[in-house]
């Protein structure tokens, strides 16, 4: 307990910075059900707000936390769609600005092929979210937050890269906890050396780091490749991290805490509709638990349950559950499969 100390006087629980885009998912509603099929065969799509930090912003807000978003959107109806949706959810949009040179929000067309195969097709030329710049990072706003979550995508290119680094520096000097969600998306990056340089720069400052084994390998490439999870946790805890969460997909995930303990969890078994979105459910559930002051294993169980609920659903943002729904899901799963279903 108490691995992360938040400044309770702050009005915002969490500011999230980075990628917001539009997801077009094969329609799956009362009227139209596009079954598993290749993207080129899909006839009807449904439109949702997407992008990992945007989804986590929605997730934590549904859990009753107060979130704000720092991001850049296109100066068109899709940009308005994002801002309207965030406003409806109760997310503070005062620091979302519009692009001035015609840059567009990313469009993500998702493919759902089977319960174990899904992919995304991204349209990200002249991309809005990476236009975030140092002028958009306002110290007074950052001072209002208990923590800031930096999504790794924001580090892929300038000017967003410098904006994210400025936010980290300002968070550091204002008693704002830094959460780094590595959120690797290959399509954004030119080469893996750049990736290691910028990911490791933020990881060195972060209080909490969350990522898959692959994402930690990429982060550590220029430091010491091929580390074990324990070595990775020790490395980052040697800087500022108090919690390092390393995910191994269906094999489960482990949180390493500064006092040398580790806590592991497995996914709840579900029939998945897609692979993506699990990380966002996991992130919002885990962080919610942490803010409640729960034991780490309970935070992990909640995150893992929310992740399973997300992969089961047809979309990312709209399907994020309330805490009551997550508790009900956990209860139901435990009744079916036993108390220790997800616990290792
Ligand atoms: N098929 C599945 N069934 C149940 N849970 C799953 C499944 N796939 C993923 N999950 C859950 O989602 C979590 C995150 O998934 P993953 O490791 O793919 O993260 P990610 O790459 O960060 O996801 P995202 O695409 O959302 O960013 C896993 O740790 C697991 O708990
Ligand atoms: O942007 C992606 O990689 C996929 C999106 O469809 C989704 O909203 C997401 O960001 C999941 O993390």
């Amino acid at each position: 307990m108490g691995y992360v100390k938040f400044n309770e006087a702050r009005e915002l629980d969490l500011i999230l910075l980075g990628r917001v885009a539009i997801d077009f998912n094969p329609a799956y509603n009362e009227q139209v059900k596009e079954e598993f099929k290749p993207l080129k065969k899909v006839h009807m799509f449904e439109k949702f707000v997407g992008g990992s930090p945007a989804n986590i912003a929605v997730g934590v807000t549904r859990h009753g936390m107060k979130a704000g978003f720092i991001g850049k959107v296109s100066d068109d109806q899709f940009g308005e769609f994002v801002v309207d949706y965030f406003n409806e959810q109760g997310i503070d949009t005062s620091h979302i600005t519009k692009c001035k040179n015609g840059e567009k929000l990313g469009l993500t067309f998702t493919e759902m092929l089977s319960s174990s195969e899904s992919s995304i097709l991204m349209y990200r030329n002249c991309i809005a979210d990476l236009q975030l710049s140092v002028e958009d990072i306002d110290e007074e706003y950052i001072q209002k937050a208990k923590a800031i979550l930096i999504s790794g995508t924001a580090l892929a290119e300038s000017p967003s890269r410098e904006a994210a680094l400025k936010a980290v520096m300002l968070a550091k000097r204002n008693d704002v906890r830094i959460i780094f969600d590595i959120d690797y998306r290959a399509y954004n990056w030119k080469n893996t050396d750049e990736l290691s340089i910028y990911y490791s720069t933020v990881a060195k400052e972060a209080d909490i780091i969350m990522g898959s084994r692959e994402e930690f390998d990429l982060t550590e490439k220029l430091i010491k490749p091929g580390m074990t999870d324990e070595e990775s946790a020790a490395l980052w805890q040697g800087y500022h991290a108090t919690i390092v969460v390393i995910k191994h997909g269906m094999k489960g995930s482990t949180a390493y805490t500064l006092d040398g303990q580790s806590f592991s969890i497995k996914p709840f078994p579900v029939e998945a509709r897609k692979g993506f979105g699990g990380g966002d459910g996991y992130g919002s559930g885990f962080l919610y638990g942490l803010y409640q002051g729960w034991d780490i294993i309970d935070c992990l169980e909640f995150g893992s349950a929310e992740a399973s609920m997300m992969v089961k659903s047809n979309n990312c943002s709209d399907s994020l559950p309330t805490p009551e729904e997550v508790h009900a899901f956990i209860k139901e799963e435990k009744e079916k499969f036993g108390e220790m279903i997800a616990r290792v």
Side-chain angles (χ1 to χ4, degrees):
M1 291 264 275
Y3 293 107
V4 187
K5 208 173 161 319
F6 296 108
N7 185 331
E8 294 299 333
R10 301 289 168 86
E11 97 189 43
L12 289 173
D13 289 309
L14 185 61
I15 291 176
L16 301 100
L17 179 149
R19 186 160 54 101
V20 56
I22 313 274
D23 287 353
F24 287 95
N25 295 350
Y28 205 75
N29 54 45
E30 298 280 292
Q31 287 79 36
V32 189
K33 287 206 187 313
E34 293 278 7
E35 300 298 340
F36 289 128
K37 60 171 77 153
L39 190 51
K40 63 183 178 185
K41 303 260 190 210
V42 175
H43 187 59
M44 301 278 272
F45 291 90
E46 287 178 281
K47 165 169 130 286
F48 300 95
V49 167
S52 176
N55 295 335
I56 299 177
V58 174
V60 296
T61 305
R62 295 235 167 112
H63 292 357
M65 290 168 59
K66 185 78 197 116
F69 199 88
I70 301 179
K72 212 81 181 168
V73 297
S74 46
D75 188 4
D76 57 20
Q77 288 204 39
F78 279 164
E80 286 166 24
F81 166 61
V82 166
V83 174
D84 289 352
Y85 182 76
F86 274 1
N87 284 333
E88 281 158 23
Q89 300 297 313
I91 297 164
D92 180 62
T93 56
S94 60
H95 285 69
I96 298 181
T97 50
K98 289 180 184 167
C99 290
K100 298 216 166 61
N101 300 304
E103 294 89 351
K104 300 291 177 220
L105 277 172
L107 304 183
T108 311
F109 296 89
T110 62
E111 179 178 61
M112 301 173 193
L113 281 176
S114 73
S115 63
S116 56
E117 278 172 290
S118 56
S119 65
I120 53 178
L121 174 64
M122 269 285 193
Y123 280 62
R124 274 181 74 79
N125 292 338
C126 192
I127 188 69
D129 58 71
L130 293 179
Q131 304 310 315
L132 195 70
S133 73
V134 287
E135 294 84 47
D136 297 311
I137 310 301
D138 165 11
E139 184 159 17
E140 271 180 36
Y141 190 56
I142 289 180
Q143 279 168 349
K144 289 188 177 166
K146 293 180 183 147
I148 185 161
L149 183 147
I150 305 289
S151 154
T153 313
L155 299 164
E157 263 176 37
S158 298
S160 167
R161 177 178 281 167
E162 289 74 19
L165 294 176
K166 178 178 171 187
V168 167
M169 292 175 79
L170 296 182
K172 205 86 213 166
R173 73 175 186 199
N174 283 289
D175 190 28
V176 177
R177 302 284 80 78
I178 297 164
I179 302 166
F180 182 36
D181 184 2
I182 305 178
D183 189 31
Y184 171 59
R185 294 291 183 272
Y187 48 74
N188 289 295
W189 290 89
K190 294 193 186 75
N191 68 67
T192 52
D193 281 359
E194 269 192 23
L195 227 147
S196 180
I197 292 166
Y198 291 102
Y199 278 178
S200 62
T201 301
V202 175
K204 282 177 186 167
E205 302 300 333
D207 298 275
I208 301 172
I209 311 174
M210 301 192 286
S212 65
R213 182 63 254 169
E214 183 201 8
E215 290 174 330
F216 277 91
D217 287 340
L218 290 164
T219 307
E220 293 153 2
K221 183 186 171 200
L222 296 179
I223 300 175
K224 188 182 170 202
M227 282 197 277
T228 62
D229 289 358
E230 288 74 12
E231 288 169 335
S232 293
L235 171 73
W236 302 114
Q237 286 169 349
Y239 293 96
H240 292 98
T242 53
I243 303 178
V244 175
V245 179
I246 306 183
K247 294 181 262 179
H248 286 266
M250 286 307 288
K251 291 200 194 107
S253 52
T254 301
Y256 296 86
T257 51
L258 192 54
D259 56 6
Q261 294 195 76
S262 65
F263 306 87
S264 296
I265 200 84
K266 290 179 292 184
F268 285 82
V270 288
E271 186 68 21
R273 179 150 167 87
K274 58 178 174 37
F276 44 89
D280 305 336
Y282 188 104
S284 51
F286 178 78
L287 292 175
Y288 170 71
L290 210 60
Y291 275 75
Q292 304 306 301
W294 294 352
D295 287 343
I296 296 292
I297 190 64
D298 296 325
C299 302
L300 287 173
E301 186 177 73
F302 205 79
S304 177
E306 197 162 328
S308 292
M309 293 171 83
M310 289 310 296
V311 297
K312 216 174 139 190
S313 77
N314 191 53
N315 65 74
C316 295
S317 52
D318 252 20
S319 293
L320 280 151
T322 62
E324 294 71 30
E325 286 165 339
V326 186
H327 284 302
F329 173 83
I330 295 174
K331 184 167 175 279
E332 217 174 278
E333 292 282 298
K334 287 186 172 178
E335 277 165 8
K336 267 195 264 169
F337 302 108
E339 190 60 28
M340 298 302 284
I341 173 67
R343 301 202 176 207
V344 177

